[in-house]
Amino acid sequence: MSITPSLSPLHSPFLCIPLKLSTPSLSFKCGRNQRPPPSYPCIRAVEFDQNTVVAVSVGLVSVAVGIGIPIFYENQIDNAANRENTQPCFPCNGTGAQRCRFCMGNGTISVELGGDEKEVSKCVNCEGVGSLTCTTCQGSGIQPRYLDRREFKDDD
C-alpha cells in the first residue's frame, strides 16, 4: 500500500476554474486561434467602484505623508543644527545685558521718607550696576534656538 498525499485543487474567487497543483506539460503550444487546455486557469477582473478606488488612494497618500513629514522635519532639524546661529538676542538687542527694572538702570533707589527727606541707597536687585545678565541669551547676545532656551531637569 503506497501512501501518497492527495493534492486538492486551490479555490479562488478570481479564477474561473480551480488550480491543480501539477506541473503543466511541456508540449503545450498556444497557437494563434487555439484555446488553452481546460486545466489552464483564466483570471477574472475584480470590479472596483469609485469609492473603493478613492479609499485606497487616500490610504496610500496618508501612509506616504505619515512617513514623509517626519523625515522632512528630521532633515530640517539636522540642517538647523549645522547652521551657525548669528541672530542677535531680541530682549537685550545683542548686548547680553538688560536694564534693571527695579532701579531703571540707575543703580540707586531713592526713597522719600517724609517731609523733605530722601534716602538714596544701592539697588538690591542689580547691586548698583544698573543692568542684569539677559535671561534669554544668558549674556551671549545671540538669540538661542527654541529648544536651547529650555532647561531640562531630571527630577528623579
Side-chain angles (χ1 to χ4, degrees):
M1 177 179 214
S2 68
I3 301 175
T4 59
S6 65
L7 298 175
S8 64
L10 298 174
H11 295 282
S12 171
F14 303 111
L15 299 175
C16 300
I17 58 172
L19 280 176
K20 294 181 183 174
L21 294 176
S22 62
T23 59
S25 65
L26 297 174
S27 65
F28 172 72
K29 293 180 183 175
C30 199
R32 212 167 158 173
N33 292 329
Q34 282 185 331
R35 295 194 68 192
S39 66
Y40 191 76
C42 66
I43 300 174
R44 291 184 190 154
V46 178
E47 294 182 21
F48 289 118
D49 62 342
Q50 187 176 5
N51 292 336
T52 304
V53 172
V54 169
V56 169
S57 300
V58 167
L60 290 174
V61 168
S62 299
V63 168
V65 168
I67 292 171
I69 287 178
I71 291 173
F72 171 77
Y73 279 113
E74 188 70 29
N75 288 337
Q76 293 300 316
I77 289 169
D78 292 343
N79 291 340
N82 293 335
R83 250 187 336 255
E84 188 174 337
N85 187 8
T86 58
Q87 182 180 4
C89 181
F90 179 72
C92 68
N93 294 324
T95 61
Q98 290 180 311
R99 184 176 68 164
C100 177
R101 288 185 249 166
F102 196 67
C103 66
M104 303 305 287
N106 293 331
T108 58
I109 303 292
S110 298
V111 179
E112 291 187 24
L113 299 174
D116 288 335
E117 287 188 54
K118 280 187 174 180
E119 182 179 325
V120 178
S121 62
K122 184 170 78 170
C123 178
V124 294
N125 191 32
C126 65
E127 297 177 353
V129 177
S131 64
L132 297 167
T133 303
C134 178
T135 57
T136 302
C137 67
Q138 303 300 326
S140 69
I142 302 295
Q143 181 73 30
R145 293 187 174 102
Y146 180 72
L147 290 177
D148 295 341
R149 287 183 242 169
R150 305 293 178 248
E151 187 175 316
F152 299 104
K153 294 181 181 177
D154 190 12
D155 293 335
D156 291 341

